[in-house]
Amino acid sequence: MTRTLSGLPAPLALRCHNSVTPPPASDVLSSTFVDGVANRFGFGEEEQEIRNCLHDYVQIGSGLSKPFLASQVFHMAFQYRVMKNMFQASNHGTQKLQSMFNDIYLRLEDNFSLTKDQESIIRVVVQDHLFHPSCVFFNLAHVEVEKTLRESQEHCQLVHIFKNPNRERILLSAIKTQCRVSKNALRELLRDSVIGDNTSTLDDFCHVVANRFKRGGAGFGVGVIERARIAILRRFTHENQHLVNVLPLEDERSATPGPTRSRAGTPRPDSRTGTPSTDSTETTTRPPKRRRTDGYTGGRPQKGHDYWSAVDSWFKAKLLDWGSSWSTPQWQEYINATLQWDATQFAPEEQEIIYMAGAN
């Protein structure tokens, strides 16, 4: 047997050489056929990469038969077209679903409201701010509270509200409402603590206010500056009673009721006279009229003449004269005088200790 230079038998070497020889050009699919299939399935510029993949597949499968290779090219193009149609249909459905979600979002946005937890958080922040000694301009409390909530929006569960103008407007309205309610409650507490028959000492009042307004309650104690500012507010309230008290009745009447008038308009004599009534219609008593408090019109205070506006004006003037720190000599002198005044004016009542009879 003859051998070639490679050392292999001549027939085997010939067979190996024939196995790597490219097939004749007549056995290779033309690029025209591939482009025709691509055009048949509507491959445009967006599908140019897929068209190139079909050409590469033909080159890789150049050793395969033409019918098999052509069917594979056709099958690949068909599969891609089916997948593209499914994607377009899915994308269209997604767009419709997104549009529907947008419509629902807009409808919900019109009816947006704060949750109970969010309202509770706002109340806590507002009341704690009013208790803090740095709060001396009460009519601007809503500005400081909004700033605090914005800085702590994640902890206060308000992340989805900020950066949305409509929701921010609703939040600010809720803050202003809570500020107004809390300020009225504080004003009434201050009034009752220094005016009337149920006045209280400064320490007792600080405990009440801390439990009501301070975050964490009175259990954390009341600081020296907190106590001093409360004493200043008590003194201001006592010296400006016309801003917090309702004036006497317009026509001062005795505690005993006078004659009443029936709904039918027939005068009814006082029941103390014993005169029988000739009208059996149910009677109503007209509530007595009250004088308008100074600075009030139509049941509402004039702008700038209410209690808290007066407090703000007082602090503004004193801050300009005495400085913005509680530790200045002028503030210290006034605070000491106020604490002395409060201790004298509202000294605790001495309670007599009664011992049980027969005790050793």
Side-chain angles (χ1 to χ4, degrees):
M1 179 182 292
T2 60
R3 293 180 177 273
T4 63
L5 294 177
S6 62
L8 296 175
L12 182 59
L14 182 61
R15 287 196 299 271
C16 291
H17 176 72
N18 291 337
S19 64
V20 296
T21 301
S26 59
D27 293 337
V28 179
L29 286 177
S30 65
S31 59
T32 304
F33 174 81
V34 176
D35 289 335
V37 172
N39 294 334
R40 166 68 177 78
F41 288 101
F43 294 171
E45 294 182 359
E46 295 180 357
E47 292 82 14
Q48 185 62 40
E49 184 178 355
I50 303 299
R51 185 188 293 265
N52 295 336
C53 288
L54 293 178
H55 283 284
D56 293 340
Y57 179 77
V58 169
Q59 295 297 325
I60 294 172
S62 57
L64 302 174
S65 65
K66 289 179 64 175
F68 178 78
L69 194 59
S71 64
Q72 289 297 101
V73 170
F74 190 90
H75 182 66
M76 290 175 61
F78 175 77
Q79 281 188 323
Y80 177 78
R81 170 51 58 189
V82 171
M83 293 175 61
K84 183 177 181 180
N85 291 342
M86 292 176 61
F87 175 77
Q88 290 177 343
S90 175
N91 190 37
H92 179 67
T94 302
Q95 291 178 351
K96 290 182 64 177
L97 187 62
Q98 184 63 41
S99 177
M100 182 180 67
F101 282 154
N102 291 337
D103 292 340
I104 295 175
Y105 174 81
L106 292 175
R107 291 181 181 274
L108 292 177
E109 193 69 17
D110 292 338
N111 299 321
F112 174 78
S113 61
L114 299 173
T115 64
K116 294 295 182 182
D117 286 344
Q118 290 170 337
E119 291 177 349
S120 179
I121 290 172
I122 293 172
R123 182 176 65 255
V124 170
V125 174
V126 167
Q127 293 178 345
D128 187 66
H129 174 74
L130 295 178
F131 184 84
H132 199 275
S134 64
C135 178
V136 292
F137 296 117
F138 292 85
N139 284 339
L140 296 177
H142 64 280
V143 177
E144 296 299 325
V145 170
E146 194 271 344
K147 180 180 178 181
T148 300
L149 293 176
R150 184 180 293 273
E151 293 174 352
S152 306
Q153 55 184 276
E154 184 175 352
H155 299 289
C156 295
Q157 305 176 17
L158 301 173
V159 176
H160 66 292
I161 291 180
F162 289 101
K163 296 183 180 180
N164 184 312
N166 181 57
R167 294 184 179 183
E168 287 184 0
R169 176 183 58 82
I170 295 174
L171 175 64
L172 183 59
S173 176
I175 293 173
K176 289 182 177 181
T177 300
Q178 187 57 55
C179 284
R180 182 171 63 252
V181 172
S182 298
K183 287 191 300 182
N184 283 337
L186 180 58
R187 175 181 57 83
E188 292 175 357
L189 288 175
L190 287 166
R191 177 197 63 194
D192 296 340
S193 71
V194 295
I195 301 173
D197 299 330
N198 297 317
T199 59
S200 59
T201 64
L202 177 60
D203 290 336
D204 290 342
F205 182 70
C206 287
H207 183 81
V208 171
V209 176
N211 274 333
R212 179 93 175 258
F213 285 82
K214 187 176 183 180
R215 187 174 181 178
F220 291 91
V222 179
V224 176
I225 301 301
E226 295 171 339
R227 186 172 182 269
R229 194 202 62 151
I230 292 176
I232 292 174
L233 291 175
R234 277 163 57 93
R235 180 175 177 178
F236 179 88
T237 304
H238 189 270
E239 293 174 352
N240 296 272
Q241 299 185 22
H242 62 285
L243 294 175
V244 291
N245 263 0
V246 179
L247 296 181
L249 301 180
E250 180 176 330
D251 47 347
E252 297 181 1
R253 306 183 183 210
S254 60
T256 55
T260 58
R261 180 176 297 273
S262 67
R263 288 186 179 178
T266 306
R268 297 174 62 94
D270 196 330
S271 59
R272 295 175 298 167
T273 60
T275 307
S277 174
T278 58
D279 187 4
S280 59
T281 310
E282 182 183 356
T283 62
T284 58
T285 304
R286 178 178 298 176
K289 295 182 179 179
R290 295 181 179 271
R291 292 180 183 176
R292 289 180 178 174
T293 307
D294 184 22
Y296 284 71
T297 1
R300 290 185 175 271
Q302 295 177 356
K303 186 176 182 180
H305 292 80
D306 60 287
Y307 173 81
W308 291 114
S309 294
V311 171
D312 289 359
S313 298
W314 186 89
F315 272 111
K316 182 179 180 179
K318 298 304 180 185
L319 289 172
L320 291 175
D321 294 340
W322 297 346
S324 58
S325 173
W326 295 108
S327 60
T328 62
Q330 296 90 338
W331 275 115
Q332 287 296 308
E333 180 181 358
Y334 183 80
I335 289 173
N336 292 332
T338 300
L339 293 175
Q340 182 62 38
W341 170 85
D342 199 298
T344 303
Q345 187 75 20
F346 304 101
E349 297 181 358
E350 296 183 0
Q351 296 183 354
E352 182 181 358
I353 302 178
I354 303 176
Y355 294 94
M356 294 182 62
N360 294 329

